[in-house]
C-alpha cells in the first residue's frame, strides 16, 4: 500500500497550491482520509479530514482557506490551499484508514511521504 503526495512548492503569501495524494495497493473509499502538517521542529499537526461521503473537518486556522476533497474512484484525496500564510509552511502528509473524521494520527494506518509547502512573506 502506498500513498503518494505531490503538489507542494514555494509560493508567496496570498498564493495558492493544490496538494494531491493518490493511493495504490488498497482501497480507502470507505475510510477517513486526512492531511497533516509538520513544521520544522514540530510534530505532525492535524489540518483536515474527509469521509468518503464528503463530510469534512478542519482546524480553525485553515477554515475558509483550505478545502479537502476526494475522488473515491481514483482513491485520491486533495487539499486546496488558498490565501496562504507564512505559518502554513511545512511538510504536508496525507493519511488514510481512519474510521471517521479523526484528528488522532494513530488512527490512520497509512501515510504518504510528504510534500513540502513553503510560503514566503
Amino acid at each position: 500500500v502506498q500513498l503518494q503526495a505531490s503538489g507542494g512548492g514555494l509560493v508567496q503569501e496570498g498564493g495558492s497550491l493544490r496538494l494531491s495524494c493518490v493511493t495504490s495497493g488498497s482501497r480507502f473509499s470507505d475510510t477517513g482520509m486526512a492531511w497533516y502538517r509538520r513544521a520544522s521542529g514540530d510534530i505532525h499537526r492535524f489540518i483536515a479530514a474527509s469521509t468518503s461521503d464528503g463530510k469534512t473537518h478542519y482546524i480553525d486556522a485553515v477554515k475558509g482557506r483550505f478545502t479537502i476533497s476526494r475522488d473515491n474512484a481514483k482513491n485520491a484525496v486533495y487539499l486546496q490551499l488558498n490565501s496562504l500564510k507564512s505559518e502554513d509552511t511545512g511538510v504536508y502528509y496525507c493519511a488514510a484508514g481512519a474510521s471517521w473524521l479523526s484528528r488522532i494520527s494513530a488512527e490512520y494506518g497509512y501515510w504518504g511521504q510528504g510534500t513540502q509547502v513553503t510560503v514566503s512573506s
Side-chain angles (χ1 to χ4, degrees):
V1 177
Q2 288 187 323
L3 280 71
Q4 184 71 36
S6 62
L10 173 63
V11 63
Q12 290 186 330
E13 280 194 327
S16 298
L17 286 171
R18 185 175 188 250
L19 307 183
S20 300
C21 177
V22 180
T23 68
S24 63
S26 184
R27 292 190 59 85
F28 298 104
S29 58
D30 295 328
T31 74
M33 299 184 76
W35 287 94
Y36 282 71
R37 177 176 66 218
R38 181 172 57 83
S40 179
D42 198 5
I43 63 172
H44 285 67
R45 301 284 184 182
F46 173 83
I47 299 298
S50 172
T51 61
S52 58
D53 61 352
K55 294 181 178 62
T56 58
H57 177 60
Y58 301 89
I59 58 169
D60 288 345
V62 306
K63 284 180 180 177
R65 299 190 300 120
F66 291 7
T67 303
I68 188 171
S69 61
R70 294 176 61 157
D71 184 334
N72 291 326
K74 296 182 178 180
N75 255 355
V77 62
Y78 308 97
L79 188 66
Q80 178 68 40
L81 292 68
N82 295 330
S83 303
L84 282 161
K85 304 176 181 180
S86 57
E87 54 262 42
D88 296 322
T89 293
V91 180
Y92 283 71
Y93 296 86
C94 58
S99 60
W100 189 234
L101 290 170
S102 178
R103 298 172 64 118
I104 302 173
S105 60
E107 295 193 3
Y108 293 91
Y110 303 93
W111 291 80
Q113 86 288 1
T115 184
Q116 175 72 45
V117 171
T118 303
V119 184
S120 63
S121 58

